[in-house]
Amino acid sequence: MHFHFCSKHSIKSAEKSDILKQQLIIIISNRKEVRQLSQHKNIRTASEEIQWTSRTYGAVIVLIAGLCLLCLGAFLSISLGAADIHLRTVWEAIFHYQPTKTSHQIIHDLRLPRTAAAALVGALLAVSGAIMQGMTRNPLAEPSIMGVTSGSAFAVSIAFAFFPGLSAMGLVLWSFAGAGLGASTVMGIGMFSRGGLTPVKLALAGTAVTYFFTGISTAIAIRFDVAQDISFWYAGGVAGVKWSGVQLLLIAGAVGLTLAFFIARSVTVLSLGDDLAKGLGQYTSAVKLVGMLIVVILTGAAVSIAGTIAFIGLIIPHITRFLVGVDYRWIIPCSAVLGAVLLVFADIAARLVNAPFETPVGALTSLIGVPFFFYLARRERRGL
Amino acid sequence: MKTKTNKPLIVMAVTFLLIVVVFFISLNLGVIKIAPLKTLQVFFGQGTARDELVLFEFRLPRIILSLLVGAGISVAGAILQSVSQNELAEPGILGINAGGSLAVVLFIYFFQGSASDLSFFGTFMLPFSALAGAILAAFLIYILAWKKGVTPIRLILVGIGVNAGFNALLLIFQLKMDPHDFMQAAVWISGSIWGANWNMIWAILPWIVILLLFTLYKARYLNIMQLGDQLATGLGTAVEKERRILLLAAVTLAASCVAAAGGIAFLGLIAPHVARRLTGPRHQTLIPVSAFIGSFLFLLADTLARNVLAPSEIPVGLVISVLGAPYFIYLLMKAN
């Protein structure tokens, strides 16, 4: 009623955003109706239903439960391993550190950075996957499937071969460049291909790009005799991470996650479709650009520290979306927490499966992720 | 009409000449260079003992294996593409190679102890173990992609997943090996003519020759099947039965190639495509032309792999990947 007296131009921005919200709610609820209608036609299982509303309580519960699990995982991760350390010692080592005790030293120099790195890498990859899926509306989008990780590993192998003795920071920069190269290659293929980037095309383009980059980097590795340094990057793991690595992850994570929170709202709108987002007045290309930047920062940092760890960026956002709804302001933090939980526990498993030897954690996450990938591939409806 | 019927023959003749050229170049090049004239001398039994050793024990077996594997993979790819009516189907991307690789690595790891001293019997068992793994992979792909029928898209997506899963398992087993075997397995999985000796040739030659002839015999079914299931049924083909037989032939071909050369990706995609461009979709000509082109490409790639970064040798599979991936992407961009 209020609107009738205002001309279009004089609507204040607060009201404008209210209108946008209303439109969004209408669109969302329309979609819900459509889905409900379509449910009458073909019977679907309950697990396949996607909630189009966001669930704040659910999100808060997920966050709290996730953080509790993360704490538990962290303590387990610190105490379990080649030398089992009692939980009380863990507590003492963290809060009353005595440099003279061996167990305290192990905890301080090996276990703590390893655990922190696992949590951070998991969080970074999960958020990276969530943003990719939201932006591209593609349920199969994920750093390792999309060739981002292999691009990053490619750059790292070049750095190893031609610039030996590069500092950790330099390596990370190379890794960023490679991640950007991989992402833009796959995106470019999508842009120039007929019919756009469908999930299948994305997966295939990612596979081809991965073959290409892996081919070149393996050839470089064999030629320059750095195969062993690089094979670590392909196996993926957080076993040897030092505090400097954790610092790098923290910085990249802080930058990337902050940016991610800023564009979270826009990603939510974008995840409804490009046309819709444009119709609601969004600069979609700007949002996509920032989104890609975030993906490159997060993935580049994660790969430079822990190598290729696949499928976390695929599984976690799907689970999160199932738990907390479609609002990326909740999906992003919840994905971060759940990703951290998954990788911390996967890392514990990597130590215990074949003790005293380490199983590459990247291979473990693949084995967890593949069945999930099958589930997504078999699903008829491929929207988000 | 006359030009059309002659074209496949011309293409085959040209490809054959190319193969002969690369064959001689490949014989000459290597760590020990042997001049073309000397090569001929060796073939007429008048070369030095050293040249004879290099040519007959190292280079010739490797070249023959390259030709066989190239032909086998290409025909496997051609069958898969026609049967699934999907121009992107290929044993490497579908994960069939990965299944075969895993089985071979496990076989070597558990029964042979080490890859370097493979027994005579072990060599002949390799194709069988590769076959077991490849059939398992193909079966998994078929089952997982089955949901009231198999759509080409689901087939490929599931194939990518199966590929990732088998590769993760491979990695886990690889890391349990000692460093030497680890490197060997790594090179082999990337695709490499590794056990280039006469035993290996005798071990895979029958498989590839018999299956190539069999595929030629089945060519008319392939012609009909690429028209689509409905039309093929209408023309009186037992579609599902023929499809399974031909799939089995393709998987077996791919498996025997995996046993000899590891996981080679993209060749099974490129060779049939080029062949189809040159001679059209009739399988009576498509199959032999694919085989010729595949042999030529593989031999060329292997020669490059041996010599580009000499003295280090890069796995031939990597060369093919780096050259083949862009072509695959080009096809992908064109496809709807």
Side-chain angles (χ1 to χ4, degrees):
Chain A
M1 319 115 260
H2 188 73
F3 305 151
H4 293 295
F5 303 103
C6 313
S7 80
K8 245 185 185 173
H9 299 284
S10 64
I11 299 174
K12 285 171 194 158
S13 61
E15 288 169 348
K16 201 172 172 182
S17 80
D18 264 6
I19 296 171
L20 288 185
K21 232 181 222 168
Q22 278 175 355
Q23 283 176 334
L24 200 59
I25 291 166
I26 291 166
I27 290 157
I28 289 171
S29 53
N30 277 344
R31 288 208 166 206
K32 199 173 180 183
E33 280 165 24
V34 169
R35 277 207 44 74
Q36 280 167 349
L37 277 176
S38 71
Q39 264 176 8
H40 288 289
K41 285 181 187 159
N42 23 11
I43 303 146
R44 290 178 193 283
T45 54
S47 64
E48 266 183 319
E49 186 181 352
I50 288 177
Q51 298 280 336
W52 287 96
T53 47
S54 83
R55 275 163 280 170
T56 316
Y57 293 119
V60 173
I61 292 170
V62 167
L63 273 182
I64 294 172
L67 285 173
C68 293
L69 265 176
L70 186 59
C71 286
L72 175 71
F75 271 105
L76 282 176
S77 166
I78 293 170
S79 76
L80 295 174
D84 277 342
I85 298 168
H86 200 268
L87 277 179
R88 184 188 288 165
T89 325
V90 175
W91 185 266
E92 280 173 6
I94 296 172
F95 295 101
H96 312 282
Y97 177 54
Q98 292 166 307
T100 46
K101 282 192 181 172
T102 323
S103 57
H104 284 204
Q105 273 179 355
I106 291 177
I107 288 170
H108 198 261
D109 293 337
L110 296 174
R111 300 272 171 86
L112 261 180
R114 177 175 186 165
T115 307
L120 283 166
V121 167
L124 264 51
L125 288 175
V127 171
S128 179
I131 289 179
M132 272 187 175
Q133 288 172 12
M135 282 195 327
T136 58
R137 306 189 70 212
N138 192 326
L140 296 179
E142 201 255 349
S144 72
I145 292 175
M146 281 190 61
V148 182
T149 34
S150 68
S152 191
F154 164 68
V156 167
S157 72
I158 290 185
F160 264 123
F162 297 103
F163 308 97
L166 205 66
S167 69
M169 193 59 210
L171 210 58
V172 173
L173 287 179
W174 273 94
S175 179
F176 283 155
L181 181 68
S184 46
T185 312
V186 175
M187 285 308 220
I189 293 169
M191 252 193 285
F192 290 110
S193 79
R194 222 185 274 171
L197 204 60
T198 59
V200 185
K201 271 195 184 175
L202 178 103
L204 284 172
T207 309
V209 168
T210 302
Y211 267 111
F212 183 75
F213 283 136
T214 312
I216 298 182
S217 38
T218 313
I220 291 174
I222 292 172
R223 178 71 182 87
F224 292 89
D225 214 12
V226 286
Q228 257 182 337
D229 298 327
I230 289 169
S231 68
F232 159 74
W233 252 262
Y234 283 102
V238 284
V241 178
K242 298 190 182 67
W243 279 114
S244 58
V246 176
Q247 261 173 4
L248 276 172
L249 283 174
L250 266 179
I251 296 168
V255 174
L257 291 183
T258 315
L259 279 174
F261 286 126
F262 269 113
I263 66 158
R265 257 174 74 100
S266 315
V267 174
T268 313
V269 178
L270 204 53
S271 72
L272 297 171
D274 267 25
D275 294 341
L276 202 65
K278 270 183 198 147
L280 289 170
Q282 189 184 84
Y283 290 110
T284 48
S285 40
V287 175
K288 282 184 175 171
L289 201 68
V290 178
M292 279 325 289
L293 186 70
I294 297 169
V295 167
V296 166
I297 291 176
L298 295 178
T299 315
V303 173
S304 73
I305 300 299
T308 50
I309 293 178
F311 288 107
I312 285 194
L314 181 79
I315 309 171
I316 293 295
H318 277 282
I319 294 176
T320 315
R321 210 173 291 115
F322 177 71
L323 291 174
V324 307
V326 293
D327 190 343
Y328 276 79
R329 281 173 300 181
W330 288 114
I331 290 179
I332 288 172
C334 291
S335 290
V337 171
L338 292 181
V341 171
L342 178 64
L343 195 55
V344 167
F345 278 99
D347 186 44
I348 297 174
R351 267 176 272 172
L352 298 183
V353 166
N354 189 27
F357 302 106
E358 299 255 350
T359 310
V361 71
L364 274 188
T365 57
S366 289
L367 290 183
I368 303 169
V370 164
F372 195 82
F373 185 89
F374 289 144
Y375 160 70
L376 291 176
R378 284 175 62 87
R379 214 166 51 163
E380 286 299 319
R381 216 170 48 85
R382 293 216 167 73
L384 278 182
Chain B
M1 280 311 280
K2 209 183 172 196
T3 49
K4 258 192 180 170
T5 43
N6 276 341
K7 207 179 170 194
L9 280 179
I10 298 172
V11 171
M12 272 190 263
V14 171
T15 325
F16 183 74
L17 278 179
L18 284 172
I19 290 176
V20 171
V21 171
V22 183
F23 177 84
F24 275 103
I25 294 175
S26 185
L27 274 179
N28 298 335
L29 289 180
V31 181
I32 300 170
K33 294 210 167 31
I34 301 173
L37 218 66
K38 276 192 180 170
T39 320
L40 283 178
Q41 277 179 354
V42 173
F43 273 111
F44 291 113
Q46 292 168 336
T48 60
R50 190 199 69 164
D51 288 354
E52 238 174 65
L53 179 78
V54 170
L55 284 184
F56 285 126
E57 288 308 312
F58 297 112
R59 298 225 177 124
L60 202 56
R62 185 162 174 163
I63 290 172
I64 293 174
L65 264 185
S66 301
L67 295 174
L68 284 175
V69 168
I73 293 178
S74 307
V75 173
I79 300 174
L80 286 176
Q81 283 169 22
S82 300
V83 166
S84 67
Q85 294 144 38
N86 187 334
E87 58 172 5
L88 299 176
E90 200 257 338
I93 289 176
L94 281 180
I96 293 171
N97 284 356
S101 301
L102 179 65
V104 170
V105 168
L106 290 184
F107 176 75
I108 292 175
Y109 178 66
F110 282 117
F111 296 111
Q112 297 294 312
S114 170
S116 39
D117 46 60
L118 212 54
S119 65
F120 184 74
F121 175 72
T123 311
F124 279 89
M125 287 307 290
L126 275 182
F128 287 99
S129 57
L131 184 61
I135 286 181
L136 176 70
F139 187 70
L140 269 180
I141 296 165
Y142 204 78
I143 292 280
L144 287 168
W146 183 273
K147 191 175 176 183
K148 295 177 211 147
V150 176
T151 64
I153 286 177
R154 222 182 297 126
L155 198 69
I156 279 209
L157 277 180
V158 167
I160 291 175
V162 168
N163 211 350
F166 275 120
N167 281 329
L169 282 176
L170 264 174
L171 192 66
I172 291 175
F173 278 105
Q174 244 183 302
L175 288 175
K176 284 188 178 180
M177 300 174 170
D178 65 66
H180 178 255
D181 280 358
F182 174 90
M183 264 320 282
Q184 189 125 21
V187 165
W188 183 76
I189 288 161
S190 318
S192 177
I193 300 279
W194 57 295
N197 55 46
W198 293 101
N199 277 351
M200 186 61 97
I201 291 178
W202 294 122
I204 74 157
L205 183 71
W207 293 85
I208 289 183
V209 169
I210 290 171
L211 284 164
L212 280 184
L213 291 177
F214 177 75
T215 314
L216 262 180
Y217 167 68
K218 287 277 181 193
R220 59 207 167 94
Y221 289 106
L222 282 169
N223 285 342
I224 295 173
M225 280 172 81
Q226 69 180 351
L227 298 174
D229 289 2
Q230 287 182 336
L231 204 53
T233 315
L235 287 169
T237 315
V239 174
E240 204 57 38
K241 182 185 138 212
E242 293 299 332
R243 176 183 288 148
R244 283 185 191 148
I245 292 175
L246 284 162
L247 273 180
L248 188 66
V251 170
T252 316
L253 264 177
S256 29
C257 296
V258 163
I264 305 278
F266 293 115
L267 185 64
L269 181 94
I270 298 169
H273 265 277
V274 177
R276 205 170 288 129
R277 282 245 165 130
L278 290 175
T279 62
R282 257 186 94 241
H283 281 82
Q284 280 88 339
T285 52
L286 180 66
I287 302 268
V289 172
S290 301
F292 270 96
I293 292 176
S295 292
F296 166 66
L297 289 177
F298 196 99
L299 184 58
L300 188 68
D302 191 48
T303 312
L304 285 176
R306 278 198 299 134
N307 295 302
V308 165
L309 293 180
S312 1
E313 191 177 289
I314 41 179
V316 59
L318 297 182
V319 177
I320 294 177
S321 290
V322 171
L323 299 179
Y327 186 77
F328 179 80
I329 289 169
Y330 160 73
L331 287 178
L332 191 67
M333 283 163 69
K334 261 192 7 178
N336 278 318

